[in-house]
Coordinates of all heavy atoms in Angstrom, one line a residue:
L26 N 83.0 72.1 25.1 CA 82.4 70.9 24.5 C 82.8 70.8 23.0 O 83.1 69.6 22.6 CB 80.9 71.0 24.6 CG 80.3 70.9 26.1 CD1 78.8 70.9 26.0 CD2 80.8 69.7 26.7
L57 N 74.5 72.4 33.0 CA 73.9 71.2 32.2 C 73.7 70.1 33.3 O 74.7 69.8 34.0 CB 74.8 71.0 31.0 CG 74.9 71.9 30.0 CD1 75.9 71.5 29.0 CD2 73.6 72.3 29.3
Q58 N 72.5 69.4 33.1 CA 72.2 68.4 34.0 C 72.5 67.0 33.3 O 72.2 66.9 32.1 CB 70.7 68.4 34.3 CG 70.2 67.4 35.2 CD 70.7 67.7 36.7 OE1 70.8 68.9 37.2 NE2 70.9 66.5 37.4
S59 N 73.2 66.1 34.0 CA 73.5 64.8 33.5 C 72.4 63.8 34.2 O 72.3 63.8 35.4 CB 74.8 64.3 33.9 OG 74.9 63.0 33.7
D60 N 71.6 63.2 33.3 CA 70.6 62.3 33.8 C 71.2 61.1 34.4 O 70.7 60.6 35.4 CB 69.7 61.9 32.6 CG 69.0 63.1 32.2 OD1 68.7 64.0 32.9 OD2 68.6 63.1 31.0
A61 N 72.3 60.5 33.8 CA 72.8 59.2 34.4 C 73.6 59.5 35.6 O 73.4 58.6 36.5 CB 73.7 58.7 33.2
L62 N 74.3 60.5 35.8 CA 75.0 60.8 37.0 C 74.3 61.4 38.1 O 74.7 61.6 39.3 CB 76.3 61.6 36.7 CG 77.3 61.1 35.6 CD1 78.3 62.0 35.3 CD2 77.9 59.7 36.2
Q63 N 73.2 61.9 37.8 CA 72.3 62.7 38.7 C 73.0 63.9 39.3 O 72.8 64.2 40.5 CB 71.8 61.7 39.8 CG 70.8 60.6 39.4 CD 69.6 61.1 38.9 OE1 69.0 61.9 39.4 NE2 69.2 60.5 37.7
R64 N 73.7 64.7 38.4 CA 74.5 65.8 38.9 C 74.3 66.9 37.8 O 73.9 66.7 36.7 CB 75.9 65.5 39.0 CG 76.3 64.6 40.3 CD 77.8 64.4 40.3 NE 78.6 65.6 40.2 CZ 79.9 65.5 39.8 NH1 80.5 64.5 39.6 NH2 80.6 66.5 39.6
F66 N 76.5 70.2 36.0 CA 77.9 70.7 35.7 C 77.8 71.9 35.2 O 77.0 72.3 34.3 CB 78.5 69.7 34.9 CG 78.7 68.3 35.3 CD1 77.7 67.3 34.9 CD2 79.7 67.9 36.1 CE1 77.8 66.0 35.5 CE2 79.9 66.7 36.6 CZ 78.9 65.7 36.3
V78 N 73.7 70.2 22.0 CA 73.4 69.4 23.3 C 71.9 69.1 23.2 O 71.5 67.9 23.5 CB 73.9 70.0 24.5 CG1 73.4 69.4 25.7 CG2 75.4 70.0 24.6
G82 N 69.8 65.3 22.6 CA 69.1 64.8 23.6 C 69.7 64.9 25.0 O 69.4 64.1 25.9
G83 N 70.5 65.8 25.2 CA 71.1 66.2 26.6 C 72.6 65.9 26.7 O 73.2 65.5 25.6
L84 N 73.2 66.3 27.7 CA 74.5 66.2 28.0 C 75.1 64.9 27.9 O 76.2 64.7 27.3 CB 74.9 66.8 29.4 CG 76.3 67.0 29.7 CD1 77.1 67.8 28.8 CD2 76.5 67.3 31.2
D85 N 74.4 63.9 28.4 CA 74.9 62.5 28.3 C 75.0 61.9 27.0 O 76.1 61.4 26.5 CB 73.9 61.5 29.1 CG 73.8 61.9 30.4 OD1 74.8 62.6 31.0 OD2 72.8 61.5 31.1
A86 N 74.0 62.1 26.0 CA 74.1 61.7 24.7 C 75.2 62.5 23.9 O 75.9 62.0 23.0 CB 72.8 62.0 24.0
F87 N 75.3 63.9 24.1 CA 76.3 64.7 23.5 C 77.7 64.2 23.8 O 78.6 63.9 22.8 CB 76.2 66.1 23.9 CG 77.2 67.1 23.3 CD1 76.9 67.6 22.0 CD2 78.5 67.3 23.7 CE1 77.8 68.4 21.2 CE2 79.4 68.1 23.1 CZ 79.1 68.7 21.9
L88 N 78.0 63.8 25.1 CA 79.4 63.4 25.5 C 79.6 61.9 24.9 O 80.8 61.6 24.7 CB 79.4 63.4 27.1 CG 79.6 64.8 27.5 CD1 79.6 64.8 29.2 CD2 80.8 65.6 27.1
A89 N 78.6 61.2 24.9 CA 78.8 59.9 24.3 C 79.4 59.9 22.9 O 80.2 59.0 22.5 CB 77.6 59.1 24.3
K90 N 79.0 60.9 22.0 CA 79.4 61.0 20.6 C 80.5 61.9 20.5 O 81.3 61.8 19.4 CB 78.2 61.5 19.8 CG 77.1 60.5 19.4 CD 76.3 61.2 18.4 CE 75.2 60.1 18.0 NZ 74.5 60.7 16.9
A91 N 80.9 62.7 21.5 CA 82.0 63.7 21.2 C 83.3 63.0 21.4 O 83.5 62.1 22.0 CB 81.9 64.7 22.5
L96 N 87.3 68.0 23.8 CA 86.6 68.5 25.1 C 87.7 69.1 26.0 O 89.0 68.7 25.8 CB 86.1 67.1 25.7 CG 85.0 66.4 25.0 CD1 84.7 65.1 25.7 CD2 83.8 67.3 24.9
T99 N 87.7 69.5 32.1 CA 86.4 69.3 32.9 C 85.5 68.4 32.1 O 84.9 67.4 32.8 CB 85.7 70.6 33.2 OG1 86.7 71.5 33.7 CG2 84.6 70.4 34.1
A100 N 85.2 68.6 30.9 CA 84.1 67.8 30.0 C 84.7 66.4 29.9 O 83.9 65.5 29.9 CB 84.0 68.4 28.8
L101 N 85.9 66.3 29.8 CA 86.6 65.0 29.7 C 86.5 64.1 30.8 O 86.2 62.9 30.8 CB 88.1 65.1 29.3 CG 88.7 63.8 28.6 CD1 88.0 63.3 27.5 CD2 90.2 64.1 28.4
A102 N 86.5 64.8 32.1 CA 86.4 64.1 33.3 C 84.9 63.6 33.4 O 84.7 62.4 33.9 CB 86.8 64.9 34.4
V103 N 84.1 64.5 33.0 CA 82.6 64.0 33.1 C 82.3 62.9 32.1 O 81.6 62.0 32.4 CB 81.7 65.3 32.6 CG1 80.2 64.8 32.5 CG2 81.8 66.5 33.7
K104 N 82.9 62.9 30.9 CA 82.7 61.9 29.9 C 83.3 60.5 30.5 O 82.5 59.5 30.2 CB 83.5 62.2 28.6 CG 83.3 61.2 27.6 CD 84.0 61.5 26.3 CE 84.2 60.5 25.3 NZ 83.0 60.5 24.2
R105 N 84.5 60.6 31.1 CA 85.0 59.4 31.7 C 84.0 58.8 32.9 O 83.8 57.5 32.9 CB 86.3 59.5 32.2 CG 87.3 59.7 31.1 CD 88.8 59.6 31.7 NE 89.9 59.9 30.6 CZ 90.6 61.1 30.6 NH1 90.6 61.8 31.8 NH2 91.3 61.3 29.7
E106 N 83.6 59.7 33.7 CA 82.7 59.2 34.8 C 81.5 58.7 34.3 O 80.9 57.7 34.8 CB 82.5 60.6 35.7 CG 81.8 60.2 36.9 CD 81.7 61.5 37.8 OE1 82.4 62.5 37.6 OE2 80.7 61.5 38.6
L107 N 80.9 59.3 33.1 CA 79.6 58.7 32.5 C 79.9 57.4 31.8 O 79.1 56.5 32.1 CB 79.3 59.7 31.4 CG 77.9 59.5 30.8 CD1 76.8 59.5 31.7 CD2 77.8 60.4 29.6
E108 N 81.1 57.1 31.3 CA 81.4 55.9 30.7 C 81.5 54.8 31.8 O 81.1 53.6 31.5 CB 82.6 55.9 29.9 CG 82.5 56.7 28.6 CD 83.8 57.0 27.9 OE1 84.9 56.7 28.4 OE2 83.8 57.2 26.7
K109 N 82.1 55.2 32.9 CA 82.1 54.2 34.1 C 80.9 53.8 34.5 O 80.5 52.6 34.8 CB 83.0 54.7 35.1 CG 84.6 54.8 34.8 CD 85.2 55.4 36.1 CE 86.7 55.6 35.8 NZ 87.4 56.3 36.9
K110 N 80.1 54.8 34.6 CA 78.6 54.6 35.2 C 77.9 53.7 34.2 O 77.2 52.7 34.7 CB 77.9 55.9 35.4 CG 76.5 55.8 35.9 CD 76.5 55.7 37.4 CE 75.1 56.0 37.9 NZ 75.0 55.9 39.3
L111 N 77.9 53.9 32.9 CA 77.1 53.2 32.0 C 77.8 51.8 31.9 O 77.0 50.8 31.6 CB 77.2 53.9 30.6 CG 76.5 55.2 30.5 CD1 76.6 55.7 29.2 CD2 74.9 55.0 30.9
A112 N 79.0 51.6 32.0 CA 79.7 50.3 31.9 C 79.4 49.4 33.2 O 79.1 48.2 33.1 CB 81.3 50.4 31.8
A113 N 79.1 50.1 34.4 CA 78.7 49.3 35.6 C 77.3 49.0 35.5 O 77.0 47.9 36.1 CB 79.1 50.2 36.8
A114 N 76.5 49.7 34.8 CA 75.1 49.3 34.8 C 74.8 48.2 33.7 O 73.8 47.5 34.1 CB 74.4 50.6 34.2
S115 N 75.5 48.1 32.8 CA 75.3 47.0 31.8 C 76.1 45.7 32.1 O 76.5 45.4 33.0 CB 75.6 47.4 30.3 OG 76.9 47.8 30.3

Side-chain angles (χ1 to χ4, degrees):
L26 295 180
L57 295 173
Q58 183 72 33
S59 171
D60 296 330
L62 299 175
Q63 299 294 317
R64 284 180 50 201
F66 299 95
V78 168
L84 182 63
D85 299 341
F87 182 88
L88 289 175
K90 284 188 169 184
L96 299 174
T99 308
L101 195 56
V103 174
K104 181 179 169 98
R105 287 192 188 120
E106 194 175 332
L107 185 64
E108 287 172 347
K109 286 181 188 177
K110 179 83 170 187
L111 295 176
S115 59

